[in-house]
Amino acid sequence: MRGGVRVLAVGAVLLALATLSFGLSRLPLGAWAVPAALGIALCKAVLIAFFFMHLAERPGGPRLVIGTAGVFVGILVGLVLAEAAARAWPTLPPGPFPVSRLPGTERSGPPRAAPPWLPLP
Amino acid sequence: MRHEASPRPVEPRALHFGDEASRQDAAHLGMWIFLATEVLLFSVLFTAYALYRLTYPGVFQQAPAHMDVFLGTLNTFVLVVSSILVALAVDAIRNGRDFAAAALLALSVLLGIAFLFIKAAEYTKHVHDGALPGAWYAYEAFALPGANLYFTLYWVMTGVHAVHVLVGVGVLVTLALRTLAGEFGARFHTPVELGGMYWHLVDVVWLFLWPLLYLT
């Protein structure tokens, strides 16, 4: 039954962290809101991986596999954001052309329909 | 913690799969490799979110005001509780309480179905608002450049996640039925552990979707 008690303890921490995440979202954290929310989510993910997904019992291969996946995610998100942050503003979507066809801004009438699908020549 | 070798009906075909512990090691490693590919699938969606959030920071910050934060948060607690129940089910089956394990799995199935119903209620509201993905976006109350990108990402990310919840519910139903049929017990329960890991991964993905789409 010791395992069951541990599951319940980890579960209580998970529910507390979710409540904390919701509570923090009601506070004016400004630029820290996203890092704080993602940090709490990461804590929850590590707890679930180690105690619910049995990583605590399985050193070696499984930890290497999921750790490598985590590093790859970091490389993907990090390099994409680094490149996008270094772009000049006019090259970012929607680009140098004026924003057009947004609902409620320059037209009235029924909601805009999707453009007809055309097969490629 | 290794589990004792079991006389379950598996003929060892090679020396390195000779005992149950080696088979469990191989099964868990294989499951983690599969879960790593799932992580990479979702990380592409999170990367797209990060790129467009960087491009339209103000719009993405305003977007939660147009979401049903109560239902999103309720779904978080539903999934976390279902994860706890699955972990308790694995603990029960390890201790030979197979009926308790099946009951706990059945309860998590109910919570998974509840998650899908709550998600469907949210989707209905978005469809009613006209907050549809891509070129179908027609939500007058949130008509800013980038708002349609937020909702496109919302539909794709939560949609792909909902498909995973649906698959996970199917996995848990199968496991509950097989547990009731007496296929798993204290000595052999690897499929329950692996199916549970899939369900926990679905939970972990939602734990990242929830703050990004509903809270910040």
Side-chain angles (χ1 to χ4, degrees), chain A residues 22-119:
Chain A
F22 180 76
L24 285 181
S25 75
R26 306 286 101 180
L27 299 176
L29 293 184
W32 286 101
V34 176
L38 288 181
I40 294 173
L42 192 63
C43 290
K44 284 184 279 196
V46 169
L47 280 175
I48 290 176
F50 265 81
F51 295 108
F52 288 3
M53 298 167 88
H54 318 297
L55 217 49
E57 305 163 5
R58 301 203 174 264
R63 291 188 194 179
L64 183 69
V65 167
I66 201 65
T68 309
V71 171
F72 287 174
V73 171
I75 291 174
L76 178 65
V77 178
L79 286 184
V80 165
L81 283 185
E83 188 273 331
R87 281 189 211 171
W89 261 103
T91 64
L92 286 170
F97 41 85
V99 183
S100 61
R101 297 201 306 151
L102 273 170
T105 48
E106 78 295 322
R107 50 176 287 285
S108 56
R112 182 161 56 96
W117 184 79
L118 294 173

Side-chain angles (χ1 to χ4, degrees), chain B residues 33-43 160 164 198 201 205:
Chain B
I33 292 171
F34 168 65
L35 294 183
T37 67
E38 290 276 11
V39 167
L40 297 179
L41 161 70
F42 279 101
S43 74
V160 172
H164 280 76
Y198 182 80
L201 180 90
V205 170

